[in-house]
Amino acid sequence: MTIKSFVDTYSLPIGLGLVLSAAWTFIIGSLFMIAGGSLGQLSSVGILLISIGAAIWIASRDQADRRDKYIVAGAVMAVLLLSVLTSGLIIDTSIDGQSYHFHAVESLVSGWNPFYEDVPSLPHTPDMQPAIWVSHYPMGSWLVNAIEHAAGLPLENSKGVNLVLLAGSGFLAIGVLSRVGYGILASLLIGSIAAANPVTLVQLFTRMNDGLMASLIVSLVMLAVLAIHMKDRKVLLYTIPLIILTLNLKFSAVPIMVALCAYACIAAWIVNGRDDAIKTASYLVAAGVAGFCIIGFSPYASNILNYGHPFYPLMGAEDTRDIMQGNTPEFLEGMNHLEAFLFSLFAETHSGFEQLPSLKLPFMVSPSEIRTSGGPDVRIAGFGPLFSAGVFLATLAGLAAAWIFRRRKLVIVPLIVAAALFFLAAIFPESWWARYVPYLWLVPLCVALASIGAPDRAFKTIGFVIVLILGLNASMVALTSVYLTGNRSVEAMDQIDQMRAESVDYEIEFDLALSRSKLMRNAGLSIQIVDELTRTDCVSTQKIAAYGPDRTGGVICELP
């Protein structure tokens, strides 16, 4: 068996099995809750077994050879197990992941049913009011994490869905690119790098969900390309559970999904005619209705019924919250959104605070940029220090290829996809922040595909140079992120070990590092949680170690 035949046989079904396992876990878990259930160990184990079994069956059912079915099933199970084990090696030290994401997961594990109940206070924290986001934000990633945790996995191991979707989108992209006509080297490189989105890489060991959306978008784009290329409506069926999960990750997923689905329908019309476009639209609309109105009744429909807008508390009632206030760097406030987008695209990778960032030559990289790129929510140039170099080369190559090879399908199709994705990012209000436009990572990769598909050695070389630059950029971001998060994890666990060795009682103000309370209780520490530490008789006090990326906070009081 050649490498290409091996990839064509196994890559797509393995990737499909992985991404569908997460989507079905969310869908079946939601249906269980709509029926009035709440998570317990037995019900969660059942949901996981049904979801994983269904995903593997769907992914492997087209394999003619029973041996191939076993290989697909074994590979999916191996990646799921490896993801769970790897995820537990580094604890979540992101601010959002430790605070409201943790609160939501822990509430679901404790029996909260968001379809029928208000979010409760966490155990041991009766005086702390739940964050408003827990009550009104989509719960896609929360429910998947909670089902795994309720089934018996430790808290930090239950965030392995990030690794599952990363691997799944990579396998899926490689398989699709190979099947639509690209060479095996191009398929392996570009498929892998498409999955290795820096937004995904820096959030692998967190409960944040921007990276999950990036992985699902890669999967959906690839499946749409395959469905249109093969004129196979069965492939469109695979997109339905993925769209449902994506819609229930973030509010911003809704306009993105609407735009991507519209693109898919237009592409189906151009390539296969009106009838195929109508059939494509019917599948996508069905997925949208199910994801928004049924599975997504909490929060979308309930927000409309109670507060007049599906995106409450960001829009709708009088008491809306502006989450960009305090998150937008001051120097961007005088720019319109397009100016801010272009500045962030070609600026140095920067947190957006303290010193002012500046524009730079695309191929220049500084040590401070490398370190900053490993943060979970970099504000400026968040796709990494070399992304601007990839965009610069891709712009030149794309314009030239569009003019010279405008009649060649393997060139013009990826260029159209690149232009459509770039346009969608450019019109998005917060496009300067990578976590809101994760699909922008695919733009230079699409141009690289077009260049490699051109019948010209110079263009093929440029295409592989773009791939090399983006691969180096992704590697740089991944290594930096693992180094920083790993160090914070060690620091946090060392503090817990030291506190356990002292065998005393503590009163702790966790502030936003709320998930640390569970790690401490699991370690056997005697702690009292307070919203604000006011007592003055502490034997000693200390800050919470590794409170967040480059942030300090929280207070630990040793009681007399």
Side-chain angles (χ1 to χ4, degrees):
M1 180 180 284
T2 65
I3 296 176
K4 179 170 175 55
S5 61
F6 184 88
V7 167
D8 287 343
T9 302
Y10 298 118
S11 187
L12 177 58
I14 290 172
L16 195 59
L18 290 169
V19 296
L20 286 178
S21 68
W24 282 116
T25 298
F26 168 66
I27 293 169
I28 295 174
S30 296
L31 292 173
F32 175 72
M33 289 192 157
I34 290 172
S38 58
L39 296 184
Q41 186 169 36
L42 185 61
S43 60
S44 297
V45 169
I47 291 168
L48 286 175
L49 290 176
I50 294 170
S51 302
I52 295 171
I56 291 175
W57 178 78
I58 291 169
S60 63
R61 66 184 182 138
D62 288 338
Q63 304 296 110
D65 193 314
R66 180 174 294 181
R67 173 177 168 271
D68 292 339
K69 293 180 184 289
Y70 291 151
I71 290 174
V72 170
V76 170
M77 292 302 298
V79 173
L80 291 174
L81 178 61
L82 186 61
S83 298
V84 166
L85 295 175
T86 304
S87 182
L89 297 177
I90 298 178
I91 71 169
D92 186 356
T93 52
S94 68
I95 293 299
D96 288 354
Q98 292 184 99
S99 54
Y100 73 90
H101 287 296
F102 164 74
H103 193 150
V105 171
E106 192 68 5
S107 296
L108 288 165
V109 172
S110 300
W112 173 47
N113 186 325
F115 290 93
Y116 302 105
E117 302 166 354
D118 293 332
V119 61
S121 297
L122 289 176
H124 314 295
T125 62
D127 298 328
M128 295 177 63
Q129 294 298 313
I132 192 172
W133 324 118
V134 180
S135 300
H136 301 286
Y137 272 10
M139 63 173 183
S141 62
W142 299 342
L143 185 53
V144 175
N145 289 168
I147 289 171
E148 293 183 0
H149 188 25
L153 291 178
L155 174 66
E156 298 300 332
N157 295 83
S158 64
K159 62 185 191 295
V161 65
N162 298 284
L163 291 161
V164 171
L165 289 183
L166 169 70
S169 62
F171 277 112
L172 204 154
I174 291 168
V176 169
L177 292 175
S178 179
R179 291 193 183 197
V180 299
Y182 289 97
I184 189 62
L185 180 60
S187 300
L188 287 169
L189 289 175
I190 295 179
S192 300
I193 297 171
N197 190 320
V199 174
T200 302
L201 297 175
V202 297
Q203 295 185 7
L204 282 179
F205 296 98
T206 75
R207 281 172 284 274
M208 298 174 69
N209 51 23
D210 310 282
L212 297 177
M213 186 166 73
S215 296
L216 286 167
I217 288 174
V218 171
S219 303
L220 287 166
V221 168
M222 291 299 167
L223 287 174
V225 168
L226 186 64
I228 294 169
H229 174 77
M230 297 179 64
K231 300 181 182 179
D232 188 349
R233 292 195 299 275
K234 180 181 62 180
V235 176
L236 282 175
L237 286 173
Y238 301 149
T239 68
I240 292 177
L242 301 186
I243 290 172
I244 291 173
L245 175 57
T246 307
L247 287 172
N248 284 277
L249 288 178
K250 296 170 64 70
F251 286 158
S252 59
V254 175
I256 292 171
M257 284 296 99
V258 169
L260 293 181
C261 289
Y263 285 163
C265 294
I266 294 170
W269 190 316
I270 294 172
V271 176
N272 298 326
R274 184 183 65 178
D275 289 346
D276 189 64
I278 292 173
K279 291 173 182 175
T280 298
S282 65
Y283 282 92
L284 300 180
V285 169
V289 171
F292 194 85
C293 300
I294 303 174
I295 303 298
F297 185 92
S298 173
Y300 293 114
S302 60
N303 280 346
I304 293 173
L305 294 173
N306 296 321
Y307 300 96
H309 202 288
F311 300 153
Y312 178 84
L314 306 185
M315 301 177 185
E318 295 180 358
D319 60 336
T320 55
R321 270 67 165 178
D322 182 0
I323 60 172
M324 300 313 297
Q325 184 177 2
N327 278 313
T328 304
E330 290 185 7
F331 64 88
L332 292 181
E333 292 179 355
M335 303 181 188
N336 62 45
H337 80 270
L338 186 57
E339 291 172 333
F341 168 62
L342 293 174
F343 179 88
S344 183
L345 199 57
F346 294 103
E348 60 181 329
T349 301
H350 197 279
S351 67
F353 301 102
E354 299 177 359
Q355 298 177 347
L356 294 178
S358 59
L359 294 172
K360 66 166 191 174
L361 294 174
F363 294 90
M364 301 297 292
V365 178
S366 68
S368 63
E369 279 190 284
I370 296 175
R371 187 187 186 284
T372 301
S373 70
D377 57 354
V378 179
R379 301 301 199 272
I380 304 300
F383 289 106
L386 285 173
F387 184 67
S388 59
V391 170
F392 175 75
L393 274 184
T395 302
L396 298 180
L399 292 173
W403 176 255
I404 299 172
F405 307 110
R406 55 187 176 274
R407 297 187 183 278
R408 189 172 179 86
K409 187 176 180 180
L410 285 179
V411 175
I412 203 65
V413 170
L415 288 180
I416 292 173
V417 174
L421 293 175
F422 185 85
F423 174 76
L424 181 58
I427 64 174
F428 201 87
E430 284 79 35
S431 53
W432 51 267
W433 201 347
R435 62 187 289 192
Y436 282 105
V437 288
Y439 48 86
L440 186 64
W441 175 249
L442 301 178
V443 170
L445 284 171
C446 288
V447 176
L449 264 181
S451 300
I452 292 169
D456 182 274
R457 185 178 296 274
F459 274 92
K460 290 181 184 294
T461 301
I462 293 173
F464 279 110
V465 168
I466 295 171
V467 170
L468 177 64
I469 290 171
L470 295 178
L472 180 61
N473 180 78
S475 301
M476 189 187 309
V477 171
L479 292 172
T480 304
S481 178
V482 170
Y483 173 77
L484 293 175
T485 55
N487 282 347
R488 288 197 300 270
S489 180
V490 169
E491 185 181 347
M493 296 310 295
D494 282 349
Q495 183 182 54
I496 292 175
D497 290 340
Q498 181 183 358
M499 293 168 66
R500 180 170 52 189
E502 294 174 355
S503 298
V504 296
D505 296 334
Y506 298 95
E507 187 169 288
I508 305 177
E509 175 191 330
F510 284 99
D511 197 10
L512 295 174
L514 193 56
S515 65
R516 210 70 61 85
S517 65
K518 180 149 191 173
L519 297 179
M520 289 182 178
R521 288 190 182 279
N522 289 344
L525 299 183
S526 174
I527 62 173
Q528 301 173 30
I529 303 173
V530 294
D531 195 16
E532 182 179 1
L533 186 64
T534 57
R535 63 187 307 153
T536 59
D537 61 342
C538 301
V539 174
S540 64
T541 61
Q542 58 179 309
K543 293 288 187 180
I544 292 177
Y547 174 79
D550 298 322
R551 292 180 64 170
T552 60
V555 184
I556 299 173
C557 165
E558 180 182 333
L559 296 177

